[in-house]
Amino acid sequence: MDRIELAAALIAGFILDQLLGDPQIPFHPVRLIGNLIQRLERFFYRWPREEKRRLFLGGVLLAVTVCMVTALFVLGVLWVSRRISPILHFFMSVLFCYFFYAVKDLKTESMRVYDALKGGSLKEARTAVSMIVGRDTQRLSEAGVVRAAVETVAENTSDGIIAPLFYAALGGPVLAWVYKAVNTMDSMVGYKNETYLYFGRAAARLDDLVNYIPSRLSAVLMILASFFCRLDGKQAVKIYRRDRRKHASPNSAQTEAVCAGALGVQLAGDAWYFGVLHKKPVIGDDLRPVEPEDIPRANRLMFGTSVLGLLLAAAFQFFMSGFGR
């Protein structure tokens, strides 16, 4: 794919995301990947019998198959569209870029939590935040709900925006959607519970690997954005340097640490998952109590980071285009 065409597709996809949000359609690529994972899971989970090594091997086969099918599907659609018309090819490239952005959707879902809290309904806020986090939310206080919403905005700035942009900049829509397939697998089977401890290990490790560089790039971009967004950039740098490794995942605390510092609040800490309390270190300094207004602040930081990431990805395409000549 031509570098200038890719830059235009990335920008057009971002604009479509801002105008339309994530479309709720049956043939959305993420939904198709999710359906594929569910079908393959039923086959590979018991292949050929339930033992630790067999479950791990089944998980490896799941990861390889899902990535290959995703790459071939996107590559096939783009190849056929190019054969038909260059205009159709560009249109399909824009659509694939548009579908991987999560900027407006992340803001919309997190602001539902904010609206419920401002409306005085902690119960509705717990329900709203349960749609965007993996932890148990029934016993969360108002501060716990706010933390959960802010944390998921911070983490998904990397997973849902900068990481697919990073891979799109390197390998176009095909590589971006292989990344999305890995990320979707991790969200579906990458749990450390009795069911998925061995079967989901390959997906979880692969997700850690593909997010290693993007998460750190996201943190740097978020630090820069904190200055532009009139948040505490100096504190963001301080907390990032100190707390970026305070998470079981090698990647999740990268942007959470920056966000905690930029907002001047304390995030993370103990959380319940599937009825089990998980002890976690806190991230950030408790300079002030968290409040509902931290959710729109986190969204402002997320948007600023996304714009910087888009500008960097587009500039990279122009640079590589000139270098190629």
Side-chain angles (χ1 to χ4, degrees):
M1 186 176 185
D2 179 77
R3 292 284 184 176
I4 303 301
E5 183 183 357
L6 177 56
L10 291 173
I11 295 170
F14 186 88
I15 294 172
L16 281 178
D17 176 73
Q18 291 303 298
L19 293 174
L20 305 176
D22 197 34
Q24 302 301 311
I25 56 176
F27 298 106
H28 192 294
V30 170
R31 187 168 295 183
L32 293 177
I33 291 170
N35 291 337
L36 175 65
I37 293 169
Q38 287 181 331
R39 291 176 181 275
L40 291 176
E41 180 186 348
R42 289 195 290 267
F43 176 76
F44 286 127
Y45 190 87
R46 300 181 182 276
W47 182 86
R49 62 182 182 271
E50 284 190 67
E51 294 177 2
K52 292 178 181 179
R53 292 181 180 178
R54 304 289 187 177
L55 285 173
F56 176 74
L57 178 59
V60 171
L61 292 173
L62 172 73
V64 171
T65 305
V66 170
C67 289
M68 287 182 60
V69 171
T70 301
L72 289 173
F73 173 77
V74 179
L75 188 63
V77 170
L78 292 177
W79 183 82
V80 170
S81 64
R82 182 180 285 279
R83 297 278 292 182
I84 295 172
S85 165
I87 296 176
L88 179 61
H89 177 263
F90 178 70
F91 175 76
M92 295 307 301
S93 299
V94 170
L95 278 186
F96 277 125
C97 292
Y98 162 48
F99 285 141
F100 73 57
Y101 284 112
V103 183
K104 186 171 184 177
D105 194 52
L106 186 55
K107 177 182 178 182
T108 299
E109 294 299 322
S110 60
M111 288 302 289
R112 286 198 177 107
V113 182
Y114 172 78
D115 292 338
L117 290 173
K118 295 301 287 185
S121 178
L122 180 57
K123 182 178 179 181
E124 289 183 12
R126 287 169 174 164
T127 300
V129 81
S130 72
M131 305 302 292
I132 56 175
V133 300
R135 72 191 69 179
D136 300 340
T137 61
Q138 299 89 342
R139 64 188 82 194
L140 288 179
S141 63
E142 178 177 305
V145 168
V146 173
R147 284 194 190 93
V150 170
E151 287 167 24
T152 200
V153 170
E155 184 176 352
N156 282 285
T157 299
S158 176
D159 293 359
I161 304 165
I162 301 301
L165 253 177
F166 173 80
Y167 284 106
L170 293 180
V174 175
L175 194 57
W177 277 99
V178 171
Y179 167 79
K180 291 291 287 185
V182 172
N183 195 238
T184 304
M185 270 191 294
D186 180 60
S187 68
M188 293 178 67
V189 303
Y191 296 103
K192 292 182 179 180
N193 57 24
E194 185 177 351
T195 302
Y196 292 117
L197 181 60
Y198 299 101
F199 183 76
R201 184 169 294 176
R205 293 292 179 268
L206 186 57
D207 186 72
D208 287 343
L209 178 63
V210 299
N211 277 299
Y212 189 85
I213 294 176
S215 65
R216 285 148 181 80
L217 175 61
S218 299
V220 173
L221 292 173
M222 188 174 284
I223 289 172
L224 294 175
S226 66
F227 288 98
F228 290 113
C229 295
R230 298 182 180 180
L231 297 171
D232 196 339
K234 292 182 179 180
Q235 183 74 357
V237 173
K238 172 188 172 183
I239 300 303
Y240 173 69
R241 295 178 64 183
R242 191 190 72 192
D243 293 350
R244 67 185 185 276
R245 296 187 180 92
K246 287 187 176 181
H247 202 286
S249 163
N251 305 316
S252 295
Q254 299 289 320
T255 47
E256 284 187 33
V258 177
C259 188
L263 297 180
V265 299
Q266 203 167 69
L267 300 176
D270 299 347
W272 291 83
Y273 294 87
F274 303 102
V276 178
L277 179 63
H278 290 253
K279 306 295 287 185
K280 296 182 175 183
V282 295
I283 295 173
D285 291 333
D286 193 14
L287 301 181
R288 62 171 178 81
V290 295
E291 58 184 9
E293 294 301 325
D294 286 319
I295 298 175
R297 290 183 189 119
N299 277 305
R300 191 165 78 248
L301 185 59
M302 175 269 293
F303 184 79
T305 306
S306 303
V307 171
L308 288 178
L310 176 62
L311 293 176
L312 180 62
F316 177 74
Q317 303 312 311
F318 285 105
F319 172 79
M320 293 302 294
S321 175
F323 182 79
R325 293 175 186 174

